[in-house]
Amino acid sequence: GQADNHSRLDLAYLVSDPWKLDSEPERARFRGTSERLERAFGRPRTILEVGCGEGIQSEYFARQCDHLTGIDVSARAIERARSRLPAAEFLIGDLVAQPWANDVGRFDVVVACEVIYYMRDVPAFLAAMSRLGRGCMVTYFAAAERKMGQFVRVIQGVAMETLTHREASWHIATWKPGRSLAKMGAAM
């Protein structure tokens, strides 16, 4: 029910940290995600973080690259992210509305952690990530496998890993979009 509902997502940021990301389970996810990113892609020069929110996970990604760009539809969240990490670049808006949205391979790695649930057209979103990044990574709750896995697991060359911390589990998918985007779109 939240798919592409930008105004509703922005309302969530009337309070600080609406998703409780500054918690031990989430910090464990951030550490695990960062480790997986490094194993899959080494040290990227540039990272685009889609759905960066207030920049809590951005702090981890910023240590792993030379230049971090974060994007989120919430102006409130972006304002907080800019305060948290003034050296990073944070943009307000939708990924596909950016002037560089069609630039093939613009970023070394494009990440989208815990955001694909909010996309109305998941295959189109994954294709946009694959167009922009030479490497891509998404994470989603393991409990959402039935809904999200149908889109992620069909990506050609995708590597899947499950990260567990206490009672919480997330799936981490990584891939290198060097294959034809047309083939990827057809597989989805």
Side-chain angles (χ1 to χ4, degrees), residues 43-127:
R43 180 176 170 77
R45 191 177 50 78
T46 58
I47 294 176
L48 170 64
E49 181 187 9
V50 181
C52 64
E54 297 173 297
I56 297 171
Q57 186 165 14
S58 306
E59 290 179 309
Y60 292 78
F61 292 139
R63 291 190 291 259
Q64 293 184 267
C65 67
D66 298 330
H67 182 78
L68 174 71
T69 301
I71 186 168
D72 201 283
V73 296
S74 170
R76 289 181 184 99
I78 290 296
E79 182 179 320
R80 292 177 192 152
R82 287 175 177 155
S83 294
R84 183 182 302 274
L85 287 167
E89 175 184 23
F90 291 101
L91 306 170
I92 302 165
D94 190 309
L95 177 66
V96 297
Q98 298 306 308
W100 39 257
N102 291 313
D103 292 357
V104 175
R106 179 180 180 92
F107 299 93
D108 292 330
V109 178
V110 177
V111 298
C113 299
E114 305 308 304
V115 298
I116 62 173
Y117 325 104
Y118 301 103
M119 303 300 158
R120 179 171 290 126
D121 188 343
V122 175
F125 174 72
L126 294 172

Side-chain angles (χ1 to χ4, degrees), residues 2 8 30 34 40 52 54 62 81 85 102 129 136 141 163:
Q2 298 294 321
R8 192 155 189 178
F30 300 156
S34 292
C52 64
E54 297 173 297
L85 287 167
N102 291 313
M129 285 181 65
C136 297
F141 287 112
L163 173 66

